[in-house]
Every structure is written in C-alpha cells, then in structure tokens.
Amino acid sequence: MRTPDFAATRRDLVMGATLTTAAVATPRRPGARAAAADTPATGPGAPVMKIAFTVNGAARTLDVDTRTTLLDALREHLDLTGSKKGCDHGQCGACTVLVGGRRINACLTLAVMHQGDEITTVEGLGTPDRLHAMQAAFIKHDGYQCGYCTPGQICSSVAVLEEIRAGIPSHVSAELEARPQVTPAEIRERMSGNICRCGAYSNIVDAITEVAERPA
Amino acid sequence: MKPFTYERPASPAEAAAAAARHPAAKFIAGGTNLLDLMKLQIEAPPHLIDVNGLGLDGIEPMAGGGLRIGALVRNTDLAADARVRRDYALLSRALLAGASGQLRNKATTAGNLLQRTRCPYFYDTNMACNKRQPGSGCAAIGGVSRQLAVIGHSEACIATNPSDMAVALRALDAAVETIAADGATRSIPMADFHRLPGDTPQRETALRPGELITAVTLPAPVGGRQIYRKVRDRASYAFALVSVAAIVQRDGSARVALGGVAPRPWRVEAAEPEVARGAGPAMRAILDGARPTHENAFKVTLAERTLGAVLAEARG
Ligand SMILES: Cc1cc2nc3c(=O)[nH]c(=O)nc-3n(C[C@H](O)[C@H](O)[C@H](O)COP(=O)(O)OP(=O)(O)OC[C@H]3O[C@@H](n4cnc5c(N)ncnc54)[C@H](O)[C@@H]3O)c2cc1C
Ligand code: SF4
C-alpha cells in the first residue's frame, strides 16, 4: 500500500482516495478489521455464514457474521477501502458499488444476500495505470475536492450512463415513453443520491457529460 | 444490529411457513428500510427470511387487462416497464419521484408498501414514541411536527406514511395479494391496506403476522391524464411535504390521492366530484376535518395549490 507523503500533489492524493489506496481517508492498522466495523467479524452467539461471490473479477469466499453489510465485507474483510462509509444509512451514496452492473448502496444490504453475485467497486473499474474513462474525466474536470464521495460518485456515474442508454426514465424526463437524453438536468437528477459536501457538483456534471459524448 | 439467523427459502409457501416457525422473524427484500432500522435497533428481528429467491420478480398481464406486479419487482424496473409507462404513468412518475437511483434499484414493490414512517421521533430511540414503543407517548405532538400528518392521525400518533408509490397505487385502485403460512391467499384493496393509527399506531397495515405479500395487482388501464406532483424541501432525493396523484379524464371527472398529509395515502372518493368545481372546493372536501399542528398548517394550503397546479397541467 502506498502512503502519500506531504509532498504528494493533490492529484496523487485524489487518485489515492479514488482508486485502490485509500490511505488518506481511512488510516488502517493491524487489527483494525473487527474494531472498525459496526458489524463485527464475529461476536458471542452471533451466527456466521459462508459466502462466495465475485469481486472485481476475482472469486472470493468469506465467513461473515450475518450482520455484516456488503460495504463492511468489502472494506473490512477484503481490504477494498475505495467504497466509503459516509452516513451508513443510504443517504449519502459514498458506498455506491455495482452489483450485476446495477448501482446500489452497499451499506443497506447484507453480504449474505449476495451469494454468487458479481460486484464491482471503484477499484475494479480501473487502476492508476489504466484509468476508467470516468475516473480520468473526474480528474480532468476536478470533479472532487476532498475525494471522500468520489468512489461512490464514479460508480454511480458509470451506472447512470448505462441507465440512460437502457432507456430508463427519470423524474425530470419530459416524456415517459421517449428515450431519455444525456442533459445536465438528467445527470443532476440521476446523481442526486450522491452527496458531495465540497460541492463539486458542476464539475461532476462536466465529467459525466464528457464521457457520455465520447464515442463508445 | 442485534444478532440474527438468516435463511433464503425458494418458494412463497416455504417463506410463509418459515415465518410461522419463527414468529418474531422479518422478511427482508431490498433491505433499504429494514436494515436502516435494524442498525438503529428500532427493529431487532432474531431471524431474517430473505425473499429474494422466491421467483416473485415478474410483471405479468392479467385476464381482463390489468397487470400483476411481483412483490420483488424493483422500483426501477417497475417504473421503466413499457406497459406501466404507457398505461399507468402515474405509477412510473410516483416511483421516479422517490428515493435515489441506487435505492430504487434495490427497493421492491412489497418493501416500498411496508416502509415505515420518517417521523423524526420514531427514529430517535431516546424519545417517546407509541409506534416504536407502544404506550410510551408521542413526542411529536407539541414537538417538531412540520413534516407530520394533518388528517387521519390520532391522539396516539401523528406520523405520515412516506411512500410515493403507495399514493399512486391508491389512486389506481390497486390490490395487494398475499399468502399465509397455512397456504391461504387473499387480495387486499389498497383502500384497506394501510390502517389509521387510532390507539395502536404500531399496527400499520391489514397484514397478519407472517403474511407474505406475493404481488400487487393493477386493474385494467383507465386512461386519462395521469400526474404525480411532489412538493419537497429540495428538488430531488427528499420525502414529500405534500404530493398529489391525479387521474383526470376528458369529461373533467378525476381521482385524487394525497401523500405526505396522513398516516396512509389519503383519498376520499366521495369528495372527487368536487374537482369539477376547482382545487379550492375539492381540497376542502378531501381534507374536511383536518387538524394540523402549530407547525404544519401550511400543508393544507400547499395541498390546495398543488392540486390547482395539477389540474391546470391536466387541462393545458
Ligand atoms: C435515504 C432514503 C430516501 C428515501 N426516499 C424515499 C422517497 O422519497 N419516497 C419513497 O417512497 N421512499 C423513499 N425511501 C424509502 C424506500 O422507498 C424504501 O426503503 C424501500 O421502498 C423499501 O423497500 P425494500 O424492498 O428495500 O424493503 P425492505 O427494507 O426489505 O423491507 C421493508 C419492510 O417490508 C417487509 N417486507 C418486504 N418484502 C415483503 C413481502 N414480500 N411480504 C411481506 N413483508 C415484506 C420487511 O419485513 C420490512 O418490514 C427512501 C429511503 C432512503 C434510505
Ligand atoms: S407521531 Fe407517531 S411515530 Fe412520531 S413520535 Fe408520535 S407515535 Fe411515534
């Protein structure tokens, strides 16, 4: 794991927080696993179950306390700390991951409910050497400041473009039966489940718009 | 969260039987409301019955022209279904006005119907709340009540039902299909599904313990201009202060259901002929007997003006 030093550029810091090495936002220490999770790995009398799923293309099996959320399984058991715990109640979107290609809040679902599922986190979208187009666009357009919400924003953005492509309407679509278009109003509405306390919203809309306009 | 055991049955009958074996168990569908409440220990089931493997995720046409919506159909998929968009636009619009893209991808038809109130005191376990802890009192009465009910409430509870989808289903005359542990099935009209609080605000629906929702049925399409207008504190991702679901026909006849004002979707069929006389007379009839708190009298005015905007749009 890379620990950015104080001379690191802001870009390095953000890439660290956005991609695999989240050392900035969540300092980790040995033994942090059980202590850091709201849902302990095991507890007295707490039932434990085995789960098997695919995370970022790799088959993983885990023994988890039934109370473990998908978010805690990813962060505390699989060390995939890209997905963030913001509110832990589905209100902020920092924990957004893709399950079977669909975006969900990983904090409001149990790991044991994802037997056999294919899960993609921000780490699985791209790597520092091979950025996903959306990751590169967020960097180019400064679609963040502190970077904490960014992994969720990026996972959500990738799914939003898929949802528009699939013809799923939104609250602001004028015609329910027409094909939805990629407009700033559509992007804002569809991204409303991802809160950014730094207020990078307009740059996030620019980043998503650029990726949408790029020929696939 | 309190520890719990977990099982994932493969058929509705097995799920209902599992509920009979574990009387304090809860079904879990999308989990977006139940897990939220379990984290706060407002709900603490010792056993969870995961209903995601029951094969209840289809939308099928019914004889007579209606639709049967499986209990596990996700809110996103229901809102995007071509038949729903064409024939039941009110339902698509209400779903799309609720929650966020991520939540709608998980939230299910049955779970949405059974989501619990957003009363701030219900969520705060330090406060008295008859719904959370029967007999403890109601901290909302005389407290912060801006978001709470203006009609249909009781001395025991003034909470609102937060669902947008349920308001559309009420206007569409939907019904809820269920199965019990003994295999008995029944269909409950939306009008009878959510209960008024009375002295027992902890009992929110007509469901019996362990009864599993299998589907929601929609009668044959009724046409008309279908409009769902939701007024909230921000443009997206907030619960309704007031919402109006309306189906307005060419001859001026209309159905109107309200969200955000009562413990259940609020529809008064006997008041609907008044719509022909305008939003003012109609809303006076629909909200006849309203008893707002010191903080939420604005909802009565807001409901009338929202209906006025909806009727103007329908005629426009
Ligand atoms: C931040 C946030 C914002 C939101 N905003 C809105 C909004 O604006 N408008 C809105 O309408 N909603 C909103 N919601 C609520 C959301 O719509 C509900 O959480 C969701 O619909 C619940 O569905 P679920 O499948 O996840 O239910 P679950 O959480 O799985 O279950 C809810 C309840 O239903 C029971 N249940 C589930 N399936 C069955 C079944 N088949 N038979 C019997 N019982 C069953 C469960 O036991 C539980 O008691 C919001 C939620 C969050 C977290
Ligand atoms: S209004 Fe109902 S839910 Fe709110 S505190 Fe009173 S009893 Fe509880």
Side-chain angles (χ1 to χ4, degrees), chain B residues 117-123 127-133 137-141 148 156-160 197 201 204:
Chain B
T117 185
R118 294 279 160 173
C119 170
Y121 301 101
F122 174 74
Y123 270 82
M127 305 299 287
C129 170
N130 287 324
K131 192 187 273 299
R132 176 166 34 74
Q133 202 174 4
C138 170
I141 296 175
L148 304 181
C157 178
I158 60 171
T160 54
E204 295 168 349

Side-chain angles (χ1 to χ4, degrees), chain B residues 125-298:
Chain B
T125 49
N126 295 310
M127 305 299 287
C129 170
N130 287 324
K131 192 187 273 299
R132 176 166 34 74
Q133 202 174 4
S136 62
C138 170
I141 296 175
V144 177
S145 57
R146 179 174 174 271
Q147 298 160 4
L148 304 181
V150 299
I151 197 163
H153 50 308
S154 70
E155 297 301 314
C157 178
I158 60 171
T160 54
N161 180 300
S163 170
D164 290 294
M165 182 191 79
V167 184
L169 291 181
R170 179 71 177 86
L172 288 164
D173 283 335
V176 182
E177 293 189 341
T178 68
I179 183 169
D182 61 5
T185 60
R186 61 174 177 149
S187 174
I188 309 165
M190 268 302 284
D192 302 331
F193 186 76
H194 291 102
R195 292 165 41 104
L196 293 182
D199 295 337
T200 52
Q202 71 278 13
R203 293 184 54 203
E204 295 168 349
T205 69
L207 291 182
R208 300 184 186 120
E211 196 171 356
L212 175 81
I213 298 179
T214 51
V216 167
T217 56
L218 293 173
V222 293
R225 279 297 301 274
Q226 303 194 0
I227 298 173
Y228 188 77
R229 178 74 71 98
K230 177 175 179 180
V231 184
R232 42 187 160 172
D233 284 328
R234 55 185 183 196
S236 183
Y237 202 20
F239 288 93
L241 291 168
V242 164
S243 70
V244 172
I247 303 175
V248 184
Q249 302 293 351
R250 262 180 210 288
D251 64 5
S253 66
R255 301 182 188 183
V256 176
L258 305 181
V261 298
R264 65 180 185 204
W266 195 253
R267 180 171 174 205
V268 182
E269 278 89 339
E272 288 173 356
E274 291 296 302
V275 174
R277 301 178 51 220
M283 200 50 76
R284 273 193 291 284
I286 294 168
L287 291 181
D288 184 33
R291 286 178 299 132
T293 69
H294 61 296
E295 284 191 351
N296 68 13
F298 76 94

Side-chain angles (χ1 to χ4, degrees), chain A residues 30-49:
Chain A
R33 167 168 304 189
D38 290 346
T39 49
T42 52
V48 173
M49 289 181 75

Side-chain angles (χ1 to χ4, degrees), chain B residues 44-108:
Chain B
H47 185 68
L48 284 184
I49 303 165
D50 181 347
V51 294
N52 285 281
L54 306 186
L56 297 176
D57 37 21
I59 306 176
E60 293 151 20
M62 293 199 306
L67 281 184
R68 174 175 282 111
I69 302 157
L72 271 292
V73 173
R74 308 289 156 174
N75 287 179
T76 298
D77 300 323
L78 183 54
D81 184 89
R83 294 158 294 184
V84 176
R85 283 199 254 176
R86 187 188 63 220
D87 297 331
Y88 306 95
L90 189 65
L91 180 55
S92 279
R93 286 294 184 191
L95 286 162
L96 295 171
S100 67
Q102 291 95 313
L103 288 161
R104 292 192 297 271
N105 278 344
K106 270 258 132 190
T108 62

Side-chain angles (χ1 to χ4, degrees), chain A residues 66 89-90 107 173 176 192, chain B residues 4 36 39 85 93 236-237:
Chain A
T66 51
H89 289 278
C107 76
S173 306
L176 264 187
S192 71
Chain B
F4 54 83
D36 195 356
K39 287 181 184 192
R85 283 199 254 176
R93 286 294 184 191
S236 183
Y237 202 20

